[in-house]
PDB file of all heavy atoms in Angstrom:
ATOM      1  N   HIS A1150      15.092  -5.630  -9.460  1.00  0.00           N
ATOM      2  CA  HIS A1150      13.973  -6.456  -9.042  1.00  0.00           C
ATOM      3  C   HIS A1150      13.479  -5.811  -7.668  1.00  0.00           C
ATOM      4  O   HIS A1150      14.254  -5.742  -6.764  1.00  0.00           O
ATOM      5  CB  HIS A1150      14.431  -7.910  -8.832  1.00  0.00           C
ATOM      6  CG  HIS A1150      13.287  -8.812  -8.813  1.00  0.00           C
ATOM      7  ND1 HIS A1150      13.431 -10.265  -8.704  1.00  0.00           N
ATOM      8  CD2 HIS A1150      11.910  -8.617  -8.730  1.00  0.00           C
ATOM      9  CE1 HIS A1150      12.239 -10.788  -8.634  1.00  0.00           C
ATOM     10  NE2 HIS A1150      11.341  -9.831  -8.654  1.00  0.00           N
ATOM     11  N   ILE A1151      12.190  -5.443  -7.655  1.00  0.00           N
ATOM     12  CA  ILE A1151      11.772  -4.716  -6.570  1.00  0.00           C
ATOM     13  C   ILE A1151      10.532  -5.349  -5.819  1.00  0.00           C
ATOM     14  O   ILE A1151       9.846  -6.166  -6.516  1.00  0.00           O
ATOM     15  CB  ILE A1151      11.339  -3.239  -6.979  1.00  0.00           C
ATOM     16  CG1 ILE A1151      10.206  -3.345  -8.001  1.00  0.00           C
ATOM     17  CG2 ILE A1151      12.461  -2.481  -7.513  1.00  0.00           C
ATOM     18  CD1 ILE A1151       9.701  -1.938  -8.465  1.00  0.00           C
ATOM     19  N   ALA A1152      10.292  -5.104  -4.624  1.00  0.00           N
ATOM     20  CA  ALA A1152       9.182  -5.573  -3.839  1.00  0.00           C
ATOM     21  C   ALA A1152       8.886  -4.428  -2.806  1.00  0.00           C
ATOM     22  O   ALA A1152       9.813  -3.829  -2.274  1.00  0.00           O
ATOM     23  CB  ALA A1152       9.524  -6.860  -3.157  1.00  0.00           C
ATOM     24  N   ASP A1153       7.629  -4.241  -2.559  1.00  0.00           N
ATOM     25  CA  ASP A1153       7.232  -3.156  -1.608  1.00  0.00           C
ATOM     26  C   ASP A1153       6.119  -3.666  -0.692  1.00  0.00           C
ATOM     27  O   ASP A1153       5.346  -4.515  -0.991  1.00  0.00           O
ATOM     28  CB  ASP A1153       6.792  -1.940  -2.381  1.00  0.00           C
ATOM     29  CG  ASP A1153       5.608  -2.172  -3.241  1.00  0.00           C
ATOM     30  OD1 ASP A1153       5.653  -2.889  -4.251  1.00  0.00           O
ATOM     31  OD2 ASP A1153       4.513  -1.689  -2.811  1.00  0.00           O
ATOM     32  N   PHE A1154       6.109  -3.043   0.489  1.00  0.00           N
ATOM     33  CA  PHE A1154       5.059  -3.311   1.476  1.00  0.00           C
ATOM     34  C   PHE A1154       4.611  -1.977   2.058  1.00  0.00           C
ATOM     35  O   PHE A1154       5.438  -1.119   2.399  1.00  0.00           O
ATOM     36  CB  PHE A1154       5.694  -4.184   2.623  1.00  0.00           C
ATOM     37  CG  PHE A1154       4.746  -4.308   3.865  1.00  0.00           C
ATOM     38  CD1 PHE A1154       3.674  -5.118   3.735  1.00  0.00           C
ATOM     39  CD2 PHE A1154       5.004  -3.590   4.896  1.00  0.00           C
ATOM     40  CE1 PHE A1154       2.813  -5.224   4.879  1.00  0.00           C
ATOM     41  CE2 PHE A1154       4.132  -3.705   6.092  1.00  0.00           C
ATOM     42  CZ  PHE A1154       3.074  -4.532   6.006  1.00  0.00           C
ATOM     43  N   TYR A1155       3.326  -1.795   2.269  1.00  0.00           N
ATOM     44  CA  TYR A1155       2.752  -0.580   2.772  1.00  0.00           C
ATOM     45  C   TYR A1155       1.578  -0.863   3.728  1.00  0.00           C
ATOM     46  O   TYR A1155       0.719  -1.653   3.304  1.00  0.00           O
ATOM     47  CB  TYR A1155       2.301   0.333   1.663  1.00  0.00           C
ATOM     48  CG  TYR A1155       1.840   1.692   2.160  1.00  0.00           C
ATOM     49  CD1 TYR A1155       2.753   2.554   2.899  1.00  0.00           C
ATOM     50  CD2 TYR A1155       0.604   2.194   1.879  1.00  0.00           C
ATOM     51  CE1 TYR A1155       2.285   3.753   3.382  1.00  0.00           C
ATOM     52  CE2 TYR A1155       0.191   3.443   2.310  1.00  0.00           C
ATOM     53  CZ  TYR A1155       1.047   4.210   3.055  1.00  0.00           C
ATOM     54  OH  TYR A1155       0.663   5.426   3.555  1.00  0.00           O
ATOM     55  N   GLN A1156       1.639  -0.306   4.905  1.00  0.00           N
ATOM     56  CA  GLN A1156       0.590  -0.533   5.904  1.00  0.00           C
ATOM     57  C   GLN A1156       0.261   0.789   6.552  1.00  0.00           C
ATOM     58  O   GLN A1156       1.036   1.276   7.354  1.00  0.00           O
ATOM     59  CB  GLN A1156       0.971  -1.555   6.927  1.00  0.00           C
ATOM     60  CG  GLN A1156      -0.091  -1.883   7.912  1.00  0.00           C
ATOM     61  CD  GLN A1156       0.340  -2.948   8.954  1.00  0.00           C
ATOM     62  OE1 GLN A1156       1.366  -2.870   9.528  1.00  0.00           O
ATOM     63  NE2 GLN A1156      -0.534  -3.965   9.260  1.00  0.00           N
ATOM     64  N   PRO A1157      -0.813   1.424   6.207  1.00  0.00           N
ATOM     65  CA  PRO A1157      -1.164   2.674   6.875  1.00  0.00           C
ATOM     66  C   PRO A1157      -1.560   2.441   8.316  1.00  0.00           C
ATOM     67  O   PRO A1157      -1.971   1.341   8.763  1.00  0.00           O
ATOM     68  CB  PRO A1157      -2.492   3.118   6.128  1.00  0.00           C
ATOM     69  CG  PRO A1157      -2.428   2.338   4.841  1.00  0.00           C
ATOM     70  CD  PRO A1157      -1.718   1.078   5.084  1.00  0.00           C
ATOM     71  N   ALA A1158      -1.387   3.441   9.093  1.00  0.00           N
ATOM     72  CA  ALA A1158      -1.643   3.332  10.530  1.00  0.00           C
ATOM     73  C   ALA A1158      -3.109   3.173  10.778  1.00  0.00           C
ATOM     74  O   ALA A1158      -3.577   2.466  11.651  1.00  0.00           O
ATOM     75  CB  ALA A1158      -1.138   4.601  11.336  1.00  0.00           C
ATOM     76  N   THR A1159      -3.919   3.809  10.018  1.00  0.00           N
ATOM     77  CA  THR A1159      -5.448   3.693  10.100  1.00  0.00           C
ATOM     78  C   THR A1159      -5.835   2.441   9.284  1.00  0.00           C
ATOM     79  O   THR A1159      -5.638   2.465   8.085  1.00  0.00           O
ATOM     80  CB  THR A1159      -6.080   4.990   9.549  1.00  0.00           C
ATOM     81  OG1 THR A1159      -5.653   6.059  10.176  1.00  0.00           O
ATOM     82  CG2 THR A1159      -7.579   4.848   9.787  1.00  0.00           C
ATOM     83  N   ARG A1160      -6.536   1.569  10.000  1.00  0.00           N
ATOM     84  CA  ARG A1160      -6.849   0.228   9.386  1.00  0.00           C
ATOM     85  C   ARG A1160      -7.683   0.468   8.142  1.00  0.00           C
ATOM     86  O   ARG A1160      -7.548  -0.245   7.137  1.00  0.00           O
ATOM     87  CB  ARG A1160      -7.489  -0.632  10.391  1.00  0.00           C
ATOM     88  CG  ARG A1160      -7.791  -2.033   9.934  1.00  0.00           C
ATOM     89  CD  ARG A1160      -8.437  -2.840  10.958  1.00  0.00           C
ATOM     90  NE  ARG A1160      -7.588  -3.042  12.065  1.00  0.00           N
ATOM     91  CZ  ARG A1160      -6.691  -4.027  12.226  1.00  0.00           C
ATOM     92  NH1 ARG A1160      -6.629  -4.887  11.230  1.00  0.00           N
ATOM     93  NH2 ARG A1160      -5.958  -4.172  13.291  1.00  0.00           N
ATOM     94  N   ALA A1161      -8.660   1.349   8.253  1.00  0.00           N
ATOM     95  CA  ALA A1161      -9.598   1.495   7.113  1.00  0.00           C
ATOM     96  C   ALA A1161      -9.063   2.377   5.989  1.00  0.00           C
ATOM     97  O   ALA A1161      -9.646   2.446   4.909  1.00  0.00           O
ATOM     98  CB  ALA A1161     -10.841   2.134   7.615  1.00  0.00           C
ATOM     99  N   ALA A1162      -7.856   2.978   6.136  1.00  0.00           N
ATOM    100  CA  ALA A1162      -7.267   3.809   5.178  1.00  0.00           C
ATOM    101  C   ALA A1162      -6.581   3.006   4.111  1.00  0.00           C
ATOM    102  O   ALA A1162      -6.143   1.931   4.331  1.00  0.00           O
ATOM    103  CB  ALA A1162      -6.326   4.850   5.766  1.00  0.00           C
TER     104      ALA A1162
END
Side-chain angles (χ1 to χ4, degrees):
H1150 195 175
I1151 61 178
D1153 63 286
F1154 170 77
Y1155 185 57
Q1156 184 179 46
T1159 304
R1160 183 179 298 272

